[in-house]
Amino acid sequence: MIQTLRYYLSEHPSIVGFRWTDSQSWGNTWVFLFISISSYIILSVFLHLFLLVVFRHRRPLPLGPIPAVHSLSMALISFTIFAGILLSAAAEIRDTRWFWRRYKTTPFQWLLCFPIGTRPSGRVFFWSYIFYLSRFLHTLRTFFTIIRRRKLSFYQLFNHSILIFMSFLWLEFSQSFQVLGIILTTSIYSVVYGYRFWTAVGLPSKCFHFVNHCQIVLLSCNVICHIGVLLLHFLRGGCNGIGAWVLNSVLNGAILFFFLNYYVKLHLEEKRKIRAAKQMLKDKDN
């Protein structure tokens, strides 16, 4: 059983022989990238305005089991990518032991810093490609939010668009750090979407801010890893795709800024509600 899973997740010919090319990789052009992101933003804005005009009341529209099915699907997809890239990274390290001895490096350094000249081919880039495609499925949550809550979040639009763009850069420029980035992201997303499925089917929610706390953990790990890439770039003679990494870091910084802004506002709103509730109880007692 384990050998079968290892074969289909890291040793299958389509995985080992993957190449980021027009003939093998759907959606690998800049034109496709910009058209897909623009279409996502335009459709989101159009749906939001359409619902505001047609349904003037702000009562949520029922979506039935669709959000729960989406959450379960994303949890399984994220876990599959996590297992696939973990096994693929282990296989790449096993097959290139000579490289570590020759260049006096370690597998962990390779996870953070690809050698100069690395091409987007092979096992880990196959799973990076699957991760890139999965980003488009994540955007469906935006439409669920618009339909159910009649709310269009700038942070959500920005976050999904930037994550699609960054995933494309990872492949296009064989960017360093992407293996660890995908491992961290998919492990967190497996838990987050599993939790969303849990609550979507009506099971009790134990922590209201669970998803936000997971996001903080992910962003914190990303910051630490980006510092590691920067250090290795200067200490080890360069990391592949460092130009794309710089842009990636700037975009990650923007996501971190908008998330912290959202989180602080949410925290202040919660404190305001608690104070209001305490004041009401005090007034009743009086």
Side-chain angles (χ1 to χ4, degrees):
M1 181 66 178
I2 296 177
Q3 292 299 326
T4 301
L5 287 174
R6 181 178 287 112
Y7 172 77
Y8 282 107
L9 292 176
S10 65
E11 302 295 343
H12 193 276
S14 62
I15 297 176
V16 177
F18 172 78
R19 299 289 185 276
W20 174 250
T21 61
D22 293 340
S23 59
Q24 293 192 28
S25 313
W26 178 82
N28 76 328
T29 65
W30 288 95
V31 173
F32 173 85
L33 176 69
F34 288 117
I35 289 178
S36 59
I37 292 177
S38 300
S39 300
Y40 161 63
I41 295 173
I42 292 171
L43 284 173
S44 299
V45 173
F46 172 78
L47 179 61
H48 177 64
L49 296 176
F50 175 78
L51 291 177
L52 287 179
V53 172
V54 176
F55 300 97
R56 294 185 181 276
H57 62 80
R58 298 187 66 85
R59 291 194 299 273
L61 297 176
L63 287 174
I66 295 176
V69 172
H70 177 261
S71 295
L72 179 60
S73 301
M74 293 311 304
L76 295 175
I77 291 171
S78 296
F79 182 77
T80 301
I81 296 173
F82 169 77
I85 198 164
L86 201 63
L87 290 172
S88 295
E92 291 289 346
I93 292 170
R94 179 200 65 209
D95 294 345
T96 54
R97 288 176 182 172
W98 60 271
F99 178 85
W100 317 123
R101 293 192 295 268
R102 181 176 178 180
Y103 292 95
K104 297 180 181 180
T105 188
T106 64
F108 181 72
Q109 290 174 345
W110 173 77
L111 291 173
L112 280 175
C113 178
F114 285 156
I116 299 295
T118 299
R119 305 269 182 178
S121 61
R123 298 179 180 93
V124 295
F125 287 98
F126 170 84
W127 289 109
S128 182
Y129 175 60
I130 300 301
F131 179 79
Y132 163 64
L133 296 180
S134 73
R135 302 309 313 177
F136 294 98
L137 296 178
H138 284 275
T139 61
L140 293 177
R141 282 196 58 82
T142 303
F143 302 108
F144 297 159
T145 302
I146 294 172
I147 294 173
R148 290 198 298 182
R149 302 179 186 174
R150 210 79 82 255
K151 179 182 178 183
L152 181 61
S153 169
F154 170 78
Y155 169 74
Q156 198 170 37
L157 280 179
F158 179 81
N159 186 49
H160 285 307
S161 300
I162 292 304
L163 290 176
I164 292 173
F165 183 70
M166 289 194 302
S167 302
F168 180 88
L169 291 181
W170 287 357
L171 288 158
E172 185 69 12
F173 296 100
S174 304
Q175 185 192 308
S176 298
F177 165 68
Q178 62 178 284
V179 176
L180 270 183
I182 294 172
I183 289 173
L184 290 171
T185 304
T186 52
S187 61
I188 293 293
Y189 277 26
S190 299
V191 176
V192 166
Y193 277 101
Y195 173 79
R196 284 173 172 163
F197 171 74
W198 176 277
T199 57
V201 297
L203 295 172
S205 171
K206 295 296 183 183
C207 180
F208 180 73
H209 298 302
F210 177 80
V211 175
N212 290 332
H213 293 158
C214 288
Q215 187 75 8
I216 290 174
V217 171
L218 178 59
L219 291 171
S220 301
C221 291
N222 279 340
V223 170
I224 295 171
C225 289
H226 276 286
I227 294 173
V229 173
L230 186 62
L231 292 175
L232 286 174
H233 176 69
F234 289 108
L235 295 176
R236 305 291 298 182
C239 298
N240 200 69
I242 197 64
W245 173 86
V246 171
L247 179 58
N248 195 330
S249 300
V250 172
L251 295 174
N252 267 319
I255 291 175
L256 179 60
F257 171 78
F258 284 116
F259 175 77
L260 291 177
N261 183 55
Y262 160 79
Y263 186 80
V264 169
K265 287 182 178 179
L266 184 66
H267 183 68
L268 292 176
E269 180 66 20
E270 285 297 310
K271 291 182 69 174
R272 187 191 65 79
K273 289 180 179 178
I274 292 173
R275 284 198 301 267
K278 288 181 178 179
Q279 186 62 41
M280 288 180 63
L281 290 173
K282 189 176 180 179
D283 293 340
K284 286 183 180 180
D285 292 338
N286 295 333

mmCIF file of all heavy atoms in Angstrom, residues 201-223:
data_model
loop_
_atom_site.group_PDB
_atom_site.id
_atom_site.type_symbol
_atom_site.label_atom_id
_atom_site.label_comp_id
_atom_site.label_asym_id
_atom_site.label_seq_id
_atom_site.Cartn_x
_atom_site.Cartn_y
_atom_site.Cartn_z
ATOM 1 N N VAL A 201 -20.867 21.432 7.970
ATOM 2 C CA VAL A 201 -21.864 20.358 8.107
ATOM 3 C C VAL A 201 -22.598 20.434 9.439
ATOM 4 O O VAL A 201 -23.366 19.535 9.785
ATOM 5 C CB VAL A 201 -21.210 18.965 7.940
ATOM 6 C CG1 VAL A 201 -20.640 18.804 6.551
ATOM 7 C CG2 VAL A 201 -20.134 18.726 9.001
ATOM 8 N N GLY A 202 -22.336 21.516 10.197
ATOM 9 C CA GLY A 202 -23.103 21.755 11.418
ATOM 10 C C GLY A 202 -22.480 21.273 12.691
ATOM 11 O O GLY A 202 -23.117 21.349 13.756
ATOM 12 N N LEU A 203 -21.239 20.794 12.637
ATOM 13 C CA LEU A 203 -20.575 20.348 13.863
ATOM 14 C C LEU A 203 -20.077 21.558 14.653
ATOM 15 O O LEU A 203 -19.843 22.618 14.084
ATOM 16 C CB LEU A 203 -19.410 19.414 13.511
ATOM 17 C CG LEU A 203 -19.861 18.100 12.852
ATOM 18 C CD1 LEU A 203 -18.668 17.308 12.363
ATOM 19 C CD2 LEU A 203 -20.680 17.253 13.821
ATOM 20 N N PRO A 204 -19.917 21.416 15.959
ATOM 21 C CA PRO A 204 -19.610 22.589 16.794
ATOM 22 C C PRO A 204 -18.251 23.201 16.491
ATOM 23 O O PRO A 204 -17.282 22.499 16.191
ATOM 24 C CB PRO A 204 -19.652 22.025 18.227
ATOM 25 C CG PRO A 204 -19.435 20.558 18.068
ATOM 26 C CD PRO A 204 -20.061 20.185 16.760
ATOM 27 N N SER A 205 -18.208 24.522 16.577
ATOM 28 C CA SER A 205 -16.966 25.276 16.381
ATOM 29 C C SER A 205 -16.364 25.588 17.740
ATOM 30 O O SER A 205 -17.009 26.200 18.582
ATOM 31 C CB SER A 205 -17.261 26.580 15.620
ATOM 32 O OG SER A 205 -16.127 27.408 15.612
ATOM 33 N N LYS A 206 -15.117 25.179 17.935
ATOM 34 C CA LYS A 206 -14.473 25.361 19.231
ATOM 35 C C LYS A 206 -13.727 26.691 19.335
ATOM 36 O O LYS A 206 -13.512 27.199 20.413
ATOM 37 C CB LYS A 206 -13.480 24.208 19.499
ATOM 38 C CG LYS A 206 -14.138 22.849 19.630
ATOM 39 C CD LYS A 206 -15.060 22.798 20.824
ATOM 40 C CE LYS A 206 -15.663 21.407 21.011
ATOM 41 N NZ LYS A 206 -16.607 21.362 22.126
ATOM 42 N N CYS A 207 -13.305 27.224 18.196
ATOM 43 C CA CYS A 207 -12.499 28.450 18.223
ATOM 44 C C CYS A 207 -12.923 29.341 17.070
ATOM 45 O O CYS A 207 -12.720 28.985 15.913
ATOM 46 C CB CYS A 207 -11.016 28.120 18.129
ATOM 47 S SG CYS A 207 -9.957 29.585 18.150
ATOM 48 N N PHE A 208 -13.502 30.498 17.408
ATOM 49 C CA PHE A 208 -14.036 31.385 16.384
ATOM 50 C C PHE A 208 -12.950 31.893 15.445
ATOM 51 O O PHE A 208 -13.166 32.046 14.255
ATOM 52 C CB PHE A 208 -14.744 32.564 17.047
ATOM 53 C CG PHE A 208 -15.328 33.539 16.069
ATOM 54 C CD1 PHE A 208 -16.460 33.212 15.350
ATOM 55 C CD2 PHE A 208 -14.728 34.764 15.850
ATOM 56 C CE1 PHE A 208 -17.002 34.099 14.435
ATOM 57 C CE2 PHE A 208 -15.263 35.665 14.938
ATOM 58 C CZ PHE A 208 -16.402 35.319 14.237
ATOM 59 N N HIS A 209 -11.738 32.151 15.976
ATOM 60 C CA HIS A 209 -10.659 32.717 15.175
ATOM 61 C C HIS A 209 -9.638 31.661 14.754
ATOM 62 O O HIS A 209 -8.478 31.985 14.505
ATOM 63 C CB HIS A 209 -9.958 33.837 15.954
ATOM 64 C CG HIS A 209 -10.868 34.992 16.277
ATOM 65 N ND1 HIS A 209 -11.527 35.706 15.301
ATOM 66 C CD2 HIS A 209 -11.216 35.545 17.466
ATOM 67 C CE1 HIS A 209 -12.241 36.665 15.866
ATOM 68 N NE2 HIS A 209 -12.084 36.581 17.177
ATOM 69 N N PHE A 210 -10.054 30.414 14.674
ATOM 70 C CA PHE A 210 -9.136 29.331 14.343
ATOM 71 C C PHE A 210 -8.450 29.573 13.005
ATOM 72 O O PHE A 210 -7.224 29.419 12.877
ATOM 73 C CB PHE A 210 -9.891 27.999 14.319
ATOM 74 C CG PHE A 210 -9.043 26.826 13.913
ATOM 75 C CD1 PHE A 210 -8.195 26.233 14.839
ATOM 76 C CD2 PHE A 210 -9.090 26.326 12.623
ATOM 77 C CE1 PHE A 210 -7.408 25.153 14.473
ATOM 78 C CE2 PHE A 210 -8.303 25.251 12.241
ATOM 79 C CZ PHE A 210 -7.463 24.659 13.172
ATOM 80 N N VAL A 211 -9.219 29.941 11.979
ATOM 81 C CA VAL A 211 -8.660 30.162 10.639
ATOM 82 C C VAL A 211 -7.657 31.311 10.658
ATOM 83 O O VAL A 211 -6.583 31.228 10.052
ATOM 84 C CB VAL A 211 -9.787 30.435 9.625
ATOM 85 C CG1 VAL A 211 -9.199 30.796 8.257
ATOM 86 C CG2 VAL A 211 -10.696 29.217 9.495
ATOM 87 N N ASN A 212 -7.983 32.395 11.361
ATOM 88 C CA ASN A 212 -7.064 33.528 11.442
ATOM 89 C C ASN A 212 -5.762 33.149 12.147
ATOM 90 O O ASN A 212 -4.680 33.587 11.748
ATOM 91 C CB ASN A 212 -7.731 34.688 12.184
ATOM 92 C CG ASN A 212 -8.855 35.309 11.371
ATOM 93 O OD1 ASN A 212 -8.847 35.278 10.149
ATOM 94 N ND2 ASN A 212 -9.837 35.858 12.060
ATOM 95 N N HIS A 213 -5.857 32.350 13.177
ATOM 96 C CA HIS A 213 -4.656 31.920 13.891
ATOM 97 C C HIS A 213 -3.776 31.044 12.989
ATOM 98 O O HIS A 213 -2.542 31.155 13.023
ATOM 99 C CB HIS A 213 -5.042 31.151 15.151
ATOM 100 C CG HIS A 213 -5.718 32.009 16.177
ATOM 101 N ND1 HIS A 213 -6.538 31.497 17.163
ATOM 102 C CD2 HIS A 213 -5.716 33.352 16.366
ATOM 103 C CE1 HIS A 213 -6.996 32.478 17.918
ATOM 104 N NE2 HIS A 213 -6.503 33.616 17.452
ATOM 105 N N CYS A 214 -4.399 30.189 12.193
ATOM 106 C CA CYS A 214 -3.632 29.373 11.240
ATOM 107 C C CYS A 214 -2.933 30.251 10.212
ATOM 108 O O CYS A 214 -1.787 30.000 9.826
ATOM 109 C CB CYS A 214 -4.563 28.379 10.536
ATOM 110 S SG CYS A 214 -5.131 27.012 11.576
ATOM 111 N N GLN A 215 -3.630 31.306 9.769
ATOM 112 C CA GLN A 215 -3.037 32.234 8.811
ATOM 113 C C GLN A 215 -1.831 32.943 9.419
ATOM 114 O O GLN A 215 -0.818 33.164 8.740
ATOM 115 C CB GLN A 215 -4.088 33.259 8.371
ATOM 116 C CG GLN A 215 -3.645 34.187 7.247
ATOM 117 C CD GLN A 215 -3.619 33.513 5.901
ATOM 118 O OE1 GLN A 215 -4.074 32.374 5.764
ATOM 119 N NE2 GLN A 215 -3.082 34.194 4.908
ATOM 120 N N ILE A 216 -1.913 33.310 10.694
ATOM 121 C CA ILE A 216 -0.786 33.953 11.371
ATOM 122 C C ILE A 216 0.411 33.010 11.441
ATOM 123 O O ILE A 216 1.564 33.407 11.199
ATOM 124 C CB ILE A 216 -1.206 34.403 12.786
ATOM 125 C CG1 ILE A 216 -2.197 35.569 12.695
ATOM 126 C CG2 ILE A 216 0.007 34.811 13.610
ATOM 127 C CD1 ILE A 216 -2.782 35.979 14.025
ATOM 128 N N VAL A 217 0.161 31.728 11.752
ATOM 129 C CA VAL A 217 1.239 30.742 11.802
ATOM 130 C C VAL A 217 1.912 30.620 10.438
ATOM 131 O O VAL A 217 3.154 30.614 10.329
ATOM 132 C CB VAL A 217 0.693 29.371 12.254
ATOM 133 C CG1 VAL A 217 1.765 28.288 12.098
ATOM 134 C CG2 VAL A 217 0.219 29.431 13.696
ATOM 135 N N LEU A 218 1.107 30.552 9.369
ATOM 136 C CA LEU A 218 1.642 30.412 8.016
ATOM 137 C C LEU A 218 2.474 31.629 7.626
ATOM 138 O O LEU A 218 3.591 31.490 7.102
ATOM 139 C CB LEU A 218 0.499 30.207 7.031
ATOM 140 C CG LEU A 218 0.893 30.092 5.545
ATOM 141 C CD1 LEU A 218 1.845 28.923 5.334
ATOM 142 C CD2 LEU A 218 -0.359 29.926 4.685
ATOM 143 N N LEU A 219 1.956 32.822 7.860
ATOM 144 C CA LEU A 219 2.681 34.040 7.508
ATOM 145 C C LEU A 219 3.971 34.167 8.312
ATOM 146 O O LEU A 219 5.002 34.608 7.783
ATOM 147 C CB LEU A 219 1.788 35.264 7.728
ATOM 148 C CG LEU A 219 0.599 35.407 6.767
ATOM 149 C CD1 LEU A 219 -0.323 36.532 7.214
ATOM 150 C CD2 LEU A 219 1.082 35.657 5.346
ATOM 151 N N SER A 220 3.945 33.778 9.575
ATOM 152 C CA SER A 220 5.148 33.838 10.408
ATOM 153 C C SER A 220 6.227 32.883 9.897
ATOM 154 O O SER A 220 7.412 33.243 9.813
ATOM 155 C CB SER A 220 4.803 33.498 11.861
ATOM 156 O OG SER A 220 3.838 34.386 12.388
ATOM 157 N N CYS A 221 5.820 31.669 9.531
ATOM 158 C CA CYS A 221 6.775 30.703 8.970
ATOM 159 C C CYS A 221 7.352 31.206 7.659
ATOM 160 O O CYS A 221 8.548 31.031 7.374
ATOM 161 C CB CYS A 221 6.093 29.349 8.767
ATOM 162 S SG CYS A 221 5.664 28.481 10.285
ATOM 163 N N ASN A 222 6.514 31.846 6.835
ATOM 164 C CA ASN A 222 6.994 32.391 5.566
ATOM 165 C C ASN A 222 8.056 33.463 5.793
ATOM 166 O O ASN A 222 9.064 33.515 5.075
ATOM 167 C CB ASN A 222 5.830 32.974 4.764
ATOM 168 C CG ASN A 222 5.042 31.913 4.026
ATOM 169 O OD1 ASN A 222 5.534 30.815 3.794
ATOM 170 N ND2 ASN A 222 3.818 32.224 3.671
ATOM 171 N N VAL A 223 7.829 34.327 6.775
ATOM 172 C CA VAL A 223 8.799 35.386 7.077
ATOM 173 C C VAL A 223 10.138 34.777 7.486
ATOM 174 O O VAL A 223 11.209 35.199 7.010
ATOM 175 C CB VAL A 223 8.256 36.316 8.183
ATOM 176 C CG1 VAL A 223 9.357 37.254 8.675
ATOM 177 C CG2 VAL A 223 7.076 37.126 7.670
#
